């Protein structure tokens, strides 16, 4: 029965998070002051496109087509590719779709290309660099894309571009295939946009020239950072180098976006850093048109974006550019997120008819609520920290009230959860009475010691007052309860 209850609570936790994210996913991505930044999805299959749009994607920012070419005896033909691109465009239903031509070769070797292994696959013969040798392979993909462009807004993107010649060559092939379509009276979009990934540092210094040839750019921060820092993105020993908060890397990003802007080009970012909430204020401040991420990150990013003010983000970015080290940038970030965090008290963190059979369940309920509302990504670590406190002294202060709390690096935002139980919960309280009200408080590790103690002692003091306890027990409206608590503990 205990196990059954546990798994049912786990279900509620995961479903609760999904519901909150879906709610945000349904809204357009914009900052608090109404500045729009498209949140799009990275995909590698058609099925992922459906999932991405269900999660609230505003477009496909990167369709990595290499998956279609891997693990098979020969390349997919035009019809097979056309079918897939068509289906993704259909799923997009008018929203923009960026399809990247195959990024194969190097570490993603295809048996049917017979490419010899390389010493340095990441610096080697791959992506746009191999297209001229395998021209018919590239032409087939281009033909499938050109034909698919007739079905909806399609943009084609070239990977690993480092020189103007590569763009010109690819554009010539695309133009030839379009001309063939005309000759064969096949429908296609004459205005199909062509763009490039910005993931090789040399591209950052050729954007004026590139801009004369292409319609848009997307920063591939995974590779851009790896090549810029000369640090393998998969080698954990050099992880400190592979850090997007390096001031030099931020300055590179700034130069890229400024150049794109000066040339009036649309610019997005489709590397992993885009999916991390921590970097969102920075990327918003950078001035991107779009951020493309994996589907599960979309709802959370939209939620986070809706709390940010563009001018604050711009200021953060400008300050970050002046930092000397990544640690300094990190400290700036911690300060920013502390200042722009969710409020300590919020109605969605108040449950007036909570249910728990044990103290363990009660604490889990509270922490799960933090998870559901994005205040922690690691609920187990937060629970652990709370139980460590409980081991030192009971936070069951008596009179049916308990104030479990902790300070933990797993906490994103200082938070108070209020749980009022219909059925009192056994607790090893000082007066040995069960608990009817749990006020659970969690504080971020990076915050000073004083804040934590101030609120806890204010709460502990209030709990000794009968008036305070009565008010909390009687109030059934979460908004009112928040307002009351806010007044009483002065925060
Ligand atoms: C990138 O390099 O950032 C990128 C998005 O491309 P991939 O991860 O497919 O190399
Ligand atoms: Mg890349």
């Amino acid at each position: 029965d205990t196990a059954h209850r546990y798994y049912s609570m786990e279900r509620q936790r995961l479903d609760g998070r999904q519901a909150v994210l879906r709610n945000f996913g349904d809204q357009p991505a914009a900052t608090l002051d109404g500045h729009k930044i498209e949140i799009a999805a990275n995909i590698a299959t058609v099925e992922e496109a459906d999932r991405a749009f269900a999660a609230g994607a505003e477009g496909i920012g990167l369709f990595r087509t290499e998956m279609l070419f891997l693990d098979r005896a020969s390349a997919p033909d035009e019809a097979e590719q056309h079918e897939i691109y068509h289906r993704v465009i259909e799923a997009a239903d008018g929203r923009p779709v960026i399809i990247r031509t195959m990024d194969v070769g190097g570490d993603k070797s295809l048996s049917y290309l017979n490419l010899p292994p390389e010493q340095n696959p990441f610096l080697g013969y791959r992506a746009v660099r191999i297209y001229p040798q395998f021209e018919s392979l590239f032409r087939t993909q281009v033909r499938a894309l050109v034909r698919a462009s007739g079905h909806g807004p399609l943009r084609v993107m070239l990977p690993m571009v480092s020189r103007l010649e590569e763009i010109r060559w690819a554009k010539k092939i695309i133009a030839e295939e379009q001309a063939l379509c005309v000759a064969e009276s096949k429908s296609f979009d004459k205005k199909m946009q062509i763009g490039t990934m910005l993931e090789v540092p040399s591209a950052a210094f050729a954007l004026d020239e590139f801009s004369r040839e292409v319609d848009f750019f997307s920063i591939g921060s995974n590779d851009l950072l790896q090549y810029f820092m000369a640090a393998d993105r998969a080698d954990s020993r050099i992880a400190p180098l592979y850090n997007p908060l390096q001031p030099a890397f931020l300055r590179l990003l700034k130069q890229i976006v400024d150049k794109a802007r000066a040339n009036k080009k649309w610019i997005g970012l489709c590397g992993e850093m885009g999916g991390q909430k921590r970097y969102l204020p920075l990327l918003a401040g950078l001035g991107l048109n779009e951020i493309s991420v994996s589907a599960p990150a979309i709802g959370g990013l939209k939620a986070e974006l809706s709390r940010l003010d563009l001018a604050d983000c711009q200021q953060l970015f400008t300050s970050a550019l002046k930092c000397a080290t990544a640690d300094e940038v990190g400290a700036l970030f911690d300060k920013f997120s502390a200042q722009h965090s969710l409020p300590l008290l919020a109605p969605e963190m108040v449950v007036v008819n909570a249910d728990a059979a044990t103290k363990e369940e009660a604490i889990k309920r509270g922490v799960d609520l933090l998870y559901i509302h994005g205040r922690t990504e690691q609920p187990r670590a937060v629970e652990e920290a709370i139980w460590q406190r409980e081991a030192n002294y009971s936070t069951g202060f008596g009179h049916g009230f308990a104030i479990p709390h902790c300070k933990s690096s797993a906490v994103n935002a200082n938070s108070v959860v209020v749980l009022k139980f219909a059925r009192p919960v056994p607790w090893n309280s000082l007066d040995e009475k069960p608990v009817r009200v749990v006020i659970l408080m969690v504080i971020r590790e990076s915050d000073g010691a004083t804040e934590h103690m101030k609120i806890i002692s204010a709460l502990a003091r209030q709990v000794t007052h009968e008036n305070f306890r009565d008010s909390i027990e009687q109030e059934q409206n979460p908004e009112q309860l928040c307002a009351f608590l806010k007044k009483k503990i002065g925060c």
Side-chain angles (χ1 to χ4, degrees):
D1 187 49
T2 313
H4 179 81
R5 281 183 68 89
Y6 180 83
Y7 285 109
S8 121
M9 283 172 74
E10 278 296 272
R11 202 35 27 243
Q12 288 172 37
R13 174 171 74 85
L14 298 172
D15 290 350
R17 175 68 168 264
Q18 280 309 313
V20 167
L21 291 183
R22 219 175 302 118
N23 198 12
F24 273 104
D26 289 344
Q27 291 160 30
T31 58
L32 186 62
D33 52 321
H35 175 78
K36 285 199 163 52
I37 300 173
E38 267 170 72
I39 305 286
N42 295 347
I43 61 166
T45 63
V46 181
E47 293 73 26
E48 277 186 293
D50 293 326
R51 263 179 267 144
F53 289 115
E58 298 180 309
I60 299 297
L62 172 64
F63 180 3
R64 292 180 165 104
T65 58
E66 44 275 11
M67 277 278 280
L68 314 178
F69 293 80
L70 296 172
D71 296 322
R72 48 191 295 163
S74 61
D77 63 13
E78 180 188 327
E80 182 180 344
Q81 288 190 58
H82 174 262
E83 165 76 12
I84 291 163
Y85 306 150
H86 183 183
R87 279 175 59 196
V88 171
I89 292 167
E90 239 171 28
D93 194 20
R95 287 164 287 206
V97 173
I98 298 177
I99 300 184
R100 181 173 78 182
T101 54
M102 60 200 160
D103 184 359
V104 294
D107 62 317
K108 294 169 199 151
S109 84
L110 305 181
S111 59
Y112 49 90
L113 298 188
N114 286 314
L115 290 169
E118 298 185 69
Q119 278 266 313
N120 249 323
F122 288 103
L123 301 181
Y125 198 47
R126 56 178 287 199
V128 75
R129 301 169 180 189
I130 71 165
Y131 294 173
Q133 183 186 342
F134 300 98
E135 186 178 314
S136 76
L137 193 71
F138 181 62
R139 269 189 195 279
T140 303
Q141 182 168 38
V142 166
R143 204 173 306 133
L145 288 167
V146 169
R147 284 190 47 219
S149 72
H151 305 301
L154 170 62
R155 305 156 110 192
V156 171
M157 180 157 72
L158 304 167
M160 290 290 292
V161 171
S162 56
R163 297 175 303 156
L164 189 64
E165 293 91 317
E166 293 155 351
I167 301 175
R168 286 186 175 154
W169 183 87
K171 277 183 69 183
K172 182 176 74 86
I173 303 286
I174 295 169
E176 286 169 6
E177 291 305 326
Q178 287 174 325
L180 261 176
C181 271
V182 173
E184 295 167 5
S185 313
K186 287 186 178 137
S187 71
F188 69 99
D189 175 13
K190 292 187 190 65
K191 293 204 228 27
M192 179 180 80
Q193 293 198 356
I194 300 168
T196 70
M197 294 282 291
L198 298 179
E199 52 186 341
V200 180
S202 65
F205 298 86
L207 289 184
D208 288 335
E209 292 78 15
F210 282 19
S211 292
R212 281 179 220 123
E213 300 287 346
V214 302
D215 303 297
F216 70 94
F217 298 114
S218 186
I219 299 172
S221 54
N222 302 339
D223 279 322
L224 187 64
L225 181 59
Q226 135 165 297
Y227 296 133
F228 186 64
M229 296 301 295
D232 185 336
R233 69 198 218 191
D235 188 339
S236 60
R237 293 167 305 176
I238 47 175
L241 294 177
Y242 192 77
N243 178 353
L245 297 188
Q246 294 289 347
F249 185 64
L250 298 181
R251 290 171 201 146
L252 176 69
L253 293 179
K254 162 119 176 90
Q255 160 161 334
I256 288 174
V257 174
D258 285 353
K259 273 282 175 204
R261 285 266 160 278
N263 284 290
K264 300 196 164 52
K265 296 296 169 189
W266 184 99
I267 182 157
L269 180 143
C270 57
E272 304 304 323
M273 76 177 287
Q276 295 177 38
K277 271 198 235 166
R278 177 171 159 74
Y279 301 137
L280 186 64
L282 194 122
L283 295 179
L286 174 60
L288 297 164
N289 295 100
E290 174 237 44
I291 301 172
S292 191
V293 301
S294 66
I298 292 171
L301 281 187
K302 284 188 175 182
E304 190 74 7
L305 191 64
S306 71
R307 282 193 294 272
L308 296 171
D309 181 84
L310 183 65
D312 290 346
C313 295
Q314 287 168 335
Q315 202 173 38
L316 174 74
F317 188 72
T318 307
S319 309
L321 289 175
K322 292 182 196 139
C323 289
T325 65
D327 280 350
E328 280 179 32
V329 179
L332 208 64
F333 262 61
D334 287 340
K335 210 171 115 206
F336 182 91
S337 62
Q339 281 163 357
H340 295 80
S341 193
L342 292 158
L344 182 74
L345 287 150
E348 70 267 20
M349 309 295 289
V350 174
V351 182
V352 294
N353 55 355
D355 165 56
T358 61
K359 181 172 175 178
E360 283 77 8
E361 283 189 12
I363 288 177
K364 177 169 163 52
R365 283 262 186 244
V367 173
D368 286 356
L369 205 57
L370 297 172
Y371 172 80
I372 288 170
H373 293 289
R375 288 162 181 259
T376 180
E377 297 304 321
Q378 299 152 264
R380 294 298 81 84
V382 175
E383 267 187 73
E384 189 79 20
I386 288 176
W387 280 106
Q388 259 168 33
R389 282 252 167 200
E390 289 292 319
N392 293 340
Y393 58 90
S394 173
T395 54
F397 288 115
H399 310 288
F401 275 66
I403 313 178
H405 57 273
C406 73
K407 195 165 179 183
S408 161
S409 58
V411 170
N412 299 338
N414 295 352
S415 310
V416 167
V417 175
V418 182
L419 303 172
K420 304 212 306 171
F421 293 99
R423 252 184 325 150
V425 183
W427 210 277
N428 55 338
S429 301
L430 300 174
D431 61 1
E432 287 168 11
K433 289 203 180 111
V435 154
R436 291 182 309 277
V437 177
V438 167
I439 304 178
L440 181 141
M441 192 176 93
V442 299
I443 301 289
R444 294 152 27 115
E445 185 70 53
S446 51
D447 282 31
T450 49
E451 192 63 15
H452 183 193
M453 289 325 292
K454 229 169 52 197
I455 304 173
I456 284 290
S457 54
L459 268 174
R461 206 170 336 106
Q462 288 295 340
V463 165
T464 61
H465 299 310
E466 200 176 338
N467 284 347
F468 175 85
R469 297 196 305 268
D470 285 350
S471 301
I472 296 271
E473 297 225 39
Q474 275 153 29
E475 185 55 71
Q476 298 302 317
N477 179 314
E479 307 255 356
Q480 299 290 340
L481 226 155
C482 277
F484 175 74
L485 262 177
K486 214 178 252 177
K487 204 172 74 199
K488 287 295 175 186
I489 57 178
C491 61

